[in-house]
Amino acid sequence: MIFEDLPTTPTSEELIDKAFSRAARAGKAKGGLEAQQSMLQTAANIISDNLENVVTAWPDFEYDAHPFYYELADAIVDVDELRQSLSEVMWASRKAREIHEEYQPRLRKTDVDTARKHRKQAFARLADIVEQIDAHLLRINEARNDLRDLPDIDPDEPTIVVAGYPNVGKSSLVNDVTSARGETASYPFTTKGIGVGHFERDHIRYQIVDTPGLLDRPPEERNEIESQAVSAIEHLADCMLVLVDPSGECGYPIESQLELRDAIADRFDSVPVLTVANKTDREEVWNADLEGMDADLEMSVETDENVTGVLDAAVDAVDYEPELPFEE
Ligand SMILES: Nc1nc2c(ncn2[C@@H]2O[C@H](COP(=O)(O)OP(=O)(O)OP(=O)(O)O)[C@@H](O)[C@H]2O)c(=O)[nH]1
Ligand SMILES: [Mg+2]
């Protein structure tokens, strides 16, 4: 995942401490003017290099982040604000180099006391620059902590997204079809772990993603962050399975479940949306008017009835054409 390996960002205090203590050590190894020059060079380099590294560790949101991750990231941290902070840090990095260049000549061809006075002045200015970006460093580190936990999903794999009210059987389905068990990912804004499963058809790997806390209730109940996460899912989904439980065992009347289905179909109008009636093993479902619900498919995950049929339909709907390496 693109934000997984971001390093921690130092605080301004940590960076100043590090720069000045290394500088002191560098100074001790030498004497006279050389000691002052070496101290300045060490402090300025550590500051400008560390700050530059803070910035370059980040991917370019526009070019390197898949729209899915871009939108998810933007739901959690304001990307424009983050960019602003990164550019302030870059400014400070350049400024540290400038201070080095400005003071370096003053530490030559002079007496040691004067040189020490200039070097101290340079240190004060370096510290001042780093303190000025204190809030930006903190914000960048917070963003890093928030984004590190985004779900590990491959946005380029053909993906089936499973939606529906709580308790309709979403997780049961994802767990049932997925080859390797126990894969879960988390969105930082829901407490529920989301299941991410994989299965293969004709040597193509399909990803199947659970959406508890996101696509499990009416749109008007979503907060702003959740709504934006739903937009992100639009970039991810190649097919949407809306599970309904006509038995009502899930605790939600079928009318509400169908309203959610309609809202999802409206929202994801560029994605094939299939309505799947689950729990056909339950007696209440036998007499239910599945046609009246516009159910495309029925299944029981519990008794493994037609789960394969549902996957087949989803794979058909995804209609994925692998890119062949030698095709022009
Ligand atoms: N009878 C019956 N029960 C099922 C079936 N599929 C799932 N269940 C049961 O329904 C309950 C809820 O299933 P989950 O898979 O946890 O539902 P979910 O949609 O993931 O629920 P949330 O994670 O809360 O959104 C569990 O007790 C399952 O055992 C089915 O086909 N038939
Ligand atoms: Mg679940």
Side-chain angles (χ1 to χ4, degrees):
M1 202 271 294
I2 187 164
F3 301 114
E4 207 164 31
D5 299 321
L6 290 169
T8 46
T9 307
T11 64
S12 54
E13 200 185 325
E14 283 165 353
L15 185 53
I16 291 168
D17 283 354
K18 179 175 166 186
F20 291 173
S21 65
R22 294 267 180 90
R25 240 183 292 157
K28 271 193 197 121
K30 299 197 165 116
L33 286 180
E34 250 186 84
Q36 300 304 317
Q37 290 162 5
S38 173
M39 285 175 82
L40 175 61
Q41 175 160 17
T42 304
N45 280 352
I46 285 183
I47 288 169
S48 63
D49 290 352
N50 277 270
L51 292 179
E52 192 178 325
N53 289 343
V54 165
V55 179
T56 54
W58 284 82
D60 187 312
F61 280 86
E62 221 107 278
Y63 296 101
D64 301 334
H66 188 280
F68 168 68
Y69 276 119
Y70 188 111
E71 287 217 41
L72 265 194
D74 203 31
I76 297 159
V77 305
D78 187 319
V79 170
D80 283 338
E81 274 185 18
L82 174 61
R83 276 213 195 98
Q84 181 62 30
S85 288
L86 290 168
S87 84
E88 295 291 337
V89 170
M90 208 53 179
W91 165 84
S93 168
R94 276 197 299 271
K95 202 75 198 164
R97 276 189 225 291
E98 281 170 27
I99 290 171
H100 181 210
E101 279 159 26
E102 184 184 331
Y103 279 84
Q104 191 72 348
R106 300 186 202 171
L107 306 183
R108 290 189 205 118
K109 295 182 187 142
T110 181
D111 60 283
V112 175
D113 279 346
T114 313
R116 183 179 294 116
K117 219 175 67 196
H118 284 308
R119 194 269 303 156
K120 281 187 173 167
Q121 222 176 63
F123 271 27
R125 285 187 55 192
L126 285 172
D128 187 53
I129 293 296
V130 178
E131 272 157 18
Q132 273 187 53
I133 55 160
D134 186 42
H136 295 294
L137 291 172
L138 290 175
R139 177 188 282 164
I140 291 166
N141 200 46
E142 259 171 47
R144 177 256 182 195
N145 290 340
D146 291 342
L147 295 179
R148 199 180 35 178
D149 297 331
L150 282 181
D152 200 356
I153 286 171
D154 184 350
D156 294 319
E157 263 180 17
T159 301
I160 296 154
V161 172
V162 184
Y165 264 95
N167 286 314
V168 295
K170 300 184 298 296
S171 304
S172 303
L173 175 67
V174 171
N175 287 332
D176 190 71
V177 304
T178 198
S179 40
R181 293 224 161 200
E183 293 174 75
T184 54
S186 60
Y187 290 113
F189 36 79
T190 83
T191 50
K192 297 187 177 185
I194 61 162
V196 185
H198 292 96
F199 65 91
E200 262 192 36
R201 278 293 148 89
D202 299 327
H203 306 290
I204 296 169
R205 213 167 104 109
Y206 291 84
Q207 189 168 237
I208 181 163
V209 180
D210 199 357
T211 56
L214 285 179
L215 291 168
D216 64 354
R217 58 196 192 287
E220 59 273 16
E221 289 178 20
R222 286 176 208 137
N223 65 32
E224 206 179 313
I225 290 177
E226 289 161 348
S227 300
Q228 200 167 339
V230 168
S231 305
I233 289 175
E234 202 165 3
H235 297 285
L236 183 70
D238 299 299
C239 168
M240 179 76 74
L241 295 180
V242 182
L243 266 52
V244 296
D245 171 4
S247 80
E249 186 213 26
C250 67
Y252 302 92
I254 188 65
E255 294 74 29
S256 315
Q257 297 187 54
L258 293 174
E259 271 170 33
L260 175 64
R261 187 270 317 270
D262 292 342
I264 290 174
D266 279 351
R267 180 71 182 70
F268 291 84
D269 59 355
S270 61
V271 179
V273 176
L274 299 177
T275 306
V276 181
N278 188 29
K279 307 195 185 179
T280 52
D281 58 287
R282 287 182 67 92
E283 215 178 311
E284 301 93 317
V285 182
W286 302 345
N287 303 318
D289 176 16
L290 297 180
E291 246 172 70
M293 297 172 197
D294 278 330
D296 298 288
L297 297 140
E298 46 195 276
M299 71 174 178
S300 164
V301 181
E302 183 103 342
T303 59
D304 199 21
E305 189 195 317
N306 200 34
V307 173
T308 313
V310 168
L311 284 199
D312 288 343
V315 164
D316 269 355
V318 167
D319 196 21
Y320 182 71
E321 297 274 350
E323 277 173 44
L324 296 174
F326 303 114
E327 218 171 40
E328 273 300 300

